[in-house]
Amino acid sequence: MTSPGELRIGHLKFTIDLCDMLKATLLKAAHAGGQVILDYFDGSFEISSKSSVNDLVTAADKASETAIIAVIRETFPDHYILSEEAGVLDTASTTRWIIDPIDGTVNFANGVPICAVSIGVEVNGVMELGVVYNPVMKEFFFAEKGQGATLNDKPIHVSVKDDLNRSFLVTGFPYHWEDMPNDPMVVFGRFIKAGVPVRRLGSAAIDLCWVACGRFDGFYEHSLNAWDSAAGYLMVQEAGGQVTDFEGHPYSPYQPKILATNGKIHQALLKMINGEE
Ligand code: IPD
Ligand code: CA
Ligand code: CA
């Protein structure tokens, strides 16, 4: 990420290195999406269902996505884009923008302020940059590979708790129920029966960021898409945490299962999820 390029902001033109260009474009795109969320939040707008009656998309999801993609396209007209509502666009480039224009759409549609723009930037198969921006709560999370993670420009770190029984966890549930290994209700039941507090916020991107900044000690979910986790998993890693699938393998956002923790409770959580405890 070192060759120079041209960044345009309005009538201004800057020659900066590619890494800086990606970063500047990412920040600008996230702000553009966040502004759309603010404009629509708590107002009235069109809501429709997708794969099931409660899997929603609103006019704001589409407007946020349009705004984000317009910013990216201004500087990088040929980059690969994978975005929740638009799907895959322009596949030639090895730089991928992975976009969730609103993560936490059901919250957003009901005026609950736990919703965010989530954008990850992957270069040659490595997640290099991530932003999760909740404009309603004024929380802007940013991570850069090897450089740490920040919340509103201040460094963040995962928690230090090392006892699963004293941990504070968060999870999410799929819109579609089907037989799957580690049935989500069975796993949830194990934690509840053990007296471990588990929350369900309704935004995987925010769940991950709240692990990254130490509010939660761990997060797991059975069935995510790449746009839900691309930015958030980098946030947890860069804040000093650990992210794997349910077998403890290094995490890939292109498979559905995620366990993200402060690292200290990771093995214990893996055992609980797999019914080995
Ligand atoms: C959803 C949220 C939710 C998670 C679902 C996701 P959406 O994304 O991240 O927390 O449990 O699996 O689909 O629909 O709000 O973008
Ligand atoms: Ca999502
Ligand atoms: Ca979404």
Side-chain angles (χ1 to χ4, degrees), residues 50 56 61 84-85 100-105 227-228:
K50 295 195 287 184
L56 305 180
D61 293 74
E84 181 172 10
E85 314 305 339
D100 195 335
I102 303 182
D103 188 55
T105 296
W227 50 77
D228 300 311

Side-chain angles (χ1 to χ4, degrees), residues 103-104 200-209 219 221 224 228-229 232:
D103 188 55
R200 197 284 197 246
L201 298 185
S203 162
I206 291 178
D207 296 336
L208 285 161
C209 288
F219 163 67
E221 189 157 345
L224 290 184
D228 300 311
S229 63

Side-chain angles (χ1 to χ4, degrees), residues 10-237:
H11 64 285
L12 303 171
K13 202 169 83 179
F14 303 93
T15 302
I16 55 178
D17 82 26
L18 181 56
C19 182
D20 287 344
M21 274 179 64
L22 283 173
K23 244 190 281 184
T25 306
L26 172 62
L27 301 184
K28 201 174 154 195
H31 269 289
Q35 190 54 52
V36 172
I37 292 182
L38 282 181
D39 291 346
Y40 281 79
F41 189 76
D42 235 358
S44 55
F45 41 77
E46 195 190 317
I47 304 177
S48 37
S49 296
K50 295 195 287 184
S51 61
S52 72
V53 71
N54 288 313
D55 181 8
L56 305 180
V57 59
T58 72
D61 293 74
K62 292 176 185 162
S64 169
E65 183 172 73
T66 301
I68 292 165
I69 293 176
V71 170
I72 297 167
R73 283 288 173 251
E74 217 183 312
T75 310
F76 300 112
D78 57 355
H79 278 183
Y80 184 115
I81 289 178
L82 167 61
S83 189
E84 181 172 10
E85 314 305 339
V88 173
L89 311 173
D90 299 295
T91 55
S93 170
T94 54
T95 302
R96 292 183 169 196
W97 295 76
I98 306 171
I99 303 165
D100 195 335
I102 303 182
D103 188 55
T105 296
V106 177
N107 288 340
F108 172 82
N110 289 284
V112 174
I114 300 178
C115 51
V117 172
S118 171
I119 310 175
V121 185
E122 192 188 83
V123 183
N124 297 324
V126 177
M127 202 62 67
E128 295 283 353
L129 300 169
V131 160
V132 174
Y133 178 34
N134 176 347
V136 192
M137 294 179 73
K138 296 186 172 50
E139 294 200 327
F140 196 101
F141 291 88
F142 173 76
E144 180 174 359
K145 180 100 183 147
Q147 302 297 320
T150 56
L151 164 54
N152 294 342
D153 229 15
K154 296 197 175 72
I156 52 173
H157 303 283
V158 292
S159 67
V160 294
K161 243 179 263 170
D162 59 4
D163 181 359
L164 175 60
N165 293 311
R166 293 170 191 273
S167 300
F168 187 36
L169 306 179
V170 63
T171 190
F173 298 100
Y175 293 118
H176 299 276
W177 214 264
E178 56 197 33
D179 284 340
M180 55 182 123
N182 319 91
D183 181 285
M185 287 314 290
V186 174
V187 173
F188 186 61
R190 281 189 203 122
F191 289 111
I192 299 308
K193 285 175 190 165
V196 177
V198 186
R199 299 291 181 261
R200 197 284 197 246
L201 298 185
S203 162
I206 291 178
D207 296 336
L208 285 161
C209 288
W210 288 22
V211 171
C213 70
R215 291 175 186 157
F216 291 117
D217 306 304
F219 163 67
Y220 69 91
E221 189 157 345
H222 290 68
S223 187
L224 290 184
N225 288 294
W227 50 77
D228 300 311
S229 63
Y233 96 86
L234 182 63
M235 215 71 65
V236 173
Q237 288 181 337

